[in-house]
Amino acid sequence: MRPFGAYVVECLAANGVDHVFGIPGVHTVELYRALPGSPIRHITPRHEQGAGFMAEGYARVTGKPGVCFVITGPGLTNIATAMAQAYGESLPMLVISTVNPVGAMGSGAGHLHELPDQRQLMRQFTAFSHTILDIAEFDTVLARAFAVFSASRPRPVHIEIPVDLLVRDSSGLGAARAISPIAPPGPNAAAVSEAVEACARASRPLIVAGGGSKAAAGAIARLAGLLDAPVLMTTNGRGVLSDADPLAVPLNPGYDAAHRLLAHADLVIAVGTELGPTDFDDTLPAVKSMRPKVIRIDLDPEQICRGLPADIGIISDARLAVEALCDGARQREAGQGAERVRATLGDFETGLSARTRAGLHLLNTLRDTLPDVIIVGDSTQPVYSGCLGFAASTPSSFFCSATGYGTLGYALPAAIGAKLGNPSRPVVCITGDGGIQFTLAELGSAVEADARLIVILWNNQGYGEIKSYMQGRDIEPLGVDIFTPDFRKIAEAFGWRWDKAARPEVLRQCLSMACAHQGSTVLEIDEAAFLEAFPA
């Protein structure tokens, strides 16, 4: 006899899943029966929210779905925030949960972990949620999930399995099979032809690259060169052009300098971006009034209709569409594009606050000191600076939770997932003294998983950003000056090395020592002391 729970594990392994994040419970133990003999590595977080964030970090750097096993009821409610973050960031995540037995689910009788309707909760932040009522349908539902991940806008998928089905004999289902991959759609030839003509007529073209453009980085660099077009990268699009490219504009599109660049373009080619308010603030109406020609490339037809309306909409995989534009575009004479970039970046650097300059200095030092580093950020001061204007070297080498859903506690578990997904690269987590306390216990998970990290702990003794916001609105700060623990003792209790970068000039040395250490390091930075080197 082969229990259905074992068949689920075999199907995941057959389809390239190599990590599963989860905390075993009495409702999920049958999913664990076959894990020890499988090629799948199980990672145990200290909270299901951490499991979800780990899956996100893993998905960011690998492009593969992050997979989680969670129990009925509280397992799902605990991971819900991470799933909502993944939904907002368009990341592939597969959450397999249990549910009470057939005939008992939603009964209101008071069964362990009972919710009235788990799927109703999951529908808010998934591409779809499905309850397995017949073990023979699992293959089809899993294929649907992988189709979402590979051929449409990737978002979380939830599959729930009644606990009584996990012990059902699945021998009659045969061997687990690999799912035939479904290719994403390519561009419509007529739309591409129209877009090529628009490119030929434009004198001030601009490319806006979002998170959905990362796999098209090479094609975008080629198109930018052909059109002599600056590439304005949203936070999730950073690194699509490298920090050394003269056409790269790594700025928040809503910032004044970037907004002026956008508003004065006569052609905007938006690739894989929502053109949403977390990147553009309230600047899009002004751009719309300038009436540039707008080409939008996106997998999601509904998204093309939001934000800045498209004159030419191309529903397609970003790489395929941009390559098609490259094939039709004519080479322009270089010069104006790079000048527009230099003017924009010079404009940005004028009048930056001390805190923003300090944050950018920190991020630039990480990039320049640690080759091929992956920087994972929480919602904290240096990361906000990075969202404004940090130039990442490669796609997915700088990402954070400060856009979209905007949760706290993201960076540490997401950095663990990123390190597990790409163990050969250095991974740095940047978090605040407030944010890290959301998922502080995941320090233990990192040690257990041998995920060696550097955590930059930006300490301003509370929720500094919210405090400043309250003061700016003439609200007496309340609830933001929280107790600050001794992070050195906490780090050492979890088996981490602790160090302190008191001044910017010692940061490189501290990073070198952290890299030489065989384990993980918490590098604490006191904001007030660090900012002394950046006078207003």
Side-chain angles (χ1 to χ4, degrees):
M1 173 183 168
R2 176 184 59 182
F4 178 57
Y7 179 74
V8 170
V9 171
E10 292 171 17
C11 287
L12 295 176
N15 286 282
V17 175
D18 51 22
H19 285 78
V20 164
F21 305 92
I23 302 173
V26 294
H27 278 193
T28 55
V29 290
E30 287 298 331
L31 287 170
Y32 285 76
R33 185 182 295 277
L35 274 177
S38 78
I40 299 175
R41 183 183 181 190
H42 182 267
I43 304 296
T44 307
R46 298 304 181 261
H47 190 282
E48 286 90 355
Q49 185 181 94
F53 289 150
M54 288 178 194
E56 283 191 48
Y58 173 89
R60 292 261 198 180
V61 302
T62 65
K64 298 165 60 176
V67 180
C68 301
F69 287 169
V70 297
I71 64 167
T72 318
L76 274 184
T77 53
N78 284 345
I79 203 174
T81 294
M83 294 177 71
Q85 179 79 28
Y87 184 90
E89 303 289 351
S90 300
L91 294 173
M93 179 190 293
L94 176 60
V95 175
I96 297 178
S97 81
T98 48
V99 67
N100 287 116
V102 176
M105 65 177 77
S107 68
H111 293 278
L112 180 66
H113 302 326
E114 184 178 353
L115 282 174
D117 188 344
Q118 292 189 159
R119 286 181 59 200
Q120 183 61 32
L121 170 67
M122 292 292 103
R123 287 190 186 104
Q124 309 306 308
F125 34 74
T126 57
F128 72 85
S129 175
H130 187 96
T131 305
I132 299 293
L133 296 177
D134 181 341
I135 63 173
E137 66 177 331
F138 182 76
D139 284 3
T140 299
V141 178
L142 190 64
R144 287 174 56 204
F146 276 82
V148 168
F149 301 149
S150 66
S152 68
R153 185 176 185 174
R155 275 175 160 163
V157 168
H158 169 238
I159 301 174
E160 66 177 12
I161 304 172
V163 292
D164 55 324
L165 291 193
L166 290 175
V167 296
R168 187 80 54 86
D169 184 8
S170 65
S171 302
L173 299 179
R177 297 175 297 278
I179 296 165
S180 297
I182 297 178
N188 174 272
V192 169
S193 178
E194 187 180 359
V196 168
E197 290 180 11
C199 291
R201 290 193 297 268
S203 60
R204 298 183 306 281
L206 174 69
I207 299 171
V208 180
S213 72
K214 290 180 288 188
I220 289 174
R222 181 184 166 205
L223 182 64
L226 286 170
L227 302 181
D228 191 34
V231 179
L232 178 61
M233 292 168 282
T234 70
T235 299
N236 283 329
R238 298 294 167 80
V240 166
L241 260 62
S242 79
D243 56 304
D245 195 303
L247 293 174
V249 186
L251 300 182
N252 184 297
Y255 201 77
D256 289 348
H259 169 63
R260 283 190 284 273
L261 178 70
L262 186 65
H264 288 92
D266 61 353
L267 174 67
V268 175
I269 306 172
V271 186
T273 171
E274 292 181 327
L275 295 179
T278 52
D279 283 314
F280 290 83
D281 298 324
D282 58 355
T283 61
L284 286 177
V287 175
K288 184 178 179 181
S289 70
M290 302 291 290
R291 298 197 59 78
K293 192 82 170 178
V294 178
I295 301 169
R296 293 192 66 173
I297 298 170
D298 206 292
L299 274 171
D300 186 347
E302 292 186 42
Q303 195 58 50
I304 282 183
C305 302
R306 302 184 181 115
L308 199 59
D311 296 293
I312 304 170
I314 302 177
I315 311 301
S316 172
D317 171 79
R319 181 182 61 81
L320 296 176
V322 177
E323 285 177 349
L325 290 181
C326 289
D327 292 342
R330 294 192 296 271
Q331 178 70 61
R332 291 172 180 266
E333 183 177 345
Q336 186 190 48
E339 291 174 6
R340 291 162 65 199
V341 171
R342 285 193 295 270
T344 299
L345 295 181
D347 195 8
F348 167 73
E349 291 168 2
T350 301
L352 291 178
S353 69
R355 186 174 282 111
T356 298
R357 287 185 285 118
L360 290 173
H361 174 83
L362 169 62
L363 290 163
N364 291 337
T365 302
L366 291 173
R367 181 197 62 209
D368 299 340
T369 305
L370 306 176
D372 211 22
V373 66
I374 297 171
I375 302 172
V376 185
D378 217 319
S379 294
T380 192
Q381 296 285 1
V383 176
Y384 300 143
S385 300
C387 292
L388 283 179
F390 173 61
S393 298
T394 57
S396 298
S397 61
F398 170 70
F399 56 89
C400 66
S401 61
T403 61
Y405 202 58
T407 185
L408 274 169
Y410 171 85
L412 175 56
I416 295 171
K419 185 66 176 180
L420 293 171
N422 204 326
S424 64
R425 295 175 64 179
V427 177
V428 176
C429 156
I430 303 180
T431 186
D433 59 294
I436 196 173
Q437 293 186 65
F438 278 60
T439 48
L440 187 60
E442 304 302 352
L443 291 171
S445 304
V447 173
E448 193 170 82
D450 195 26
R452 301 181 183 182
L453 308 173
I454 299 173
V455 168
I456 304 292
L457 178 55
W458 187 265
N459 194 336
N460 53 21
Q461 288 78 51
Y463 298 126
E465 177 68 15
I466 303 303
K467 182 176 183 177
S468 297
Y469 186 79
M470 294 174 80
Q471 291 171 330
R473 297 179 68 87
D474 294 324
I475 299 171
E476 183 178 351
L478 179 65
V480 291
D481 294 313
I482 61 174
F483 174 77
T484 304
D486 187 331
F487 289 110
R488 176 173 189 165
K489 291 180 179 178
I490 292 173
E492 291 174 347
F494 276 108
W496 287 54
R497 174 180 171 272
W498 178 92
D499 198 1
K500 189 166 188 175
R503 302 276 296 175
E505 58 266 24
V506 302
L507 185 57
R508 287 181 183 269
Q509 179 184 354
C510 291
L511 291 172
S512 297
M513 293 173 65
C515 288
H517 179 58
Q518 292 303 303
S520 295
T521 296
V522 171
L523 180 56
E524 189 169 345
I525 295 177
D526 179 83
E527 180 186 78
F530 201 82
L531 289 181
E532 289 177 359
F534 300 90

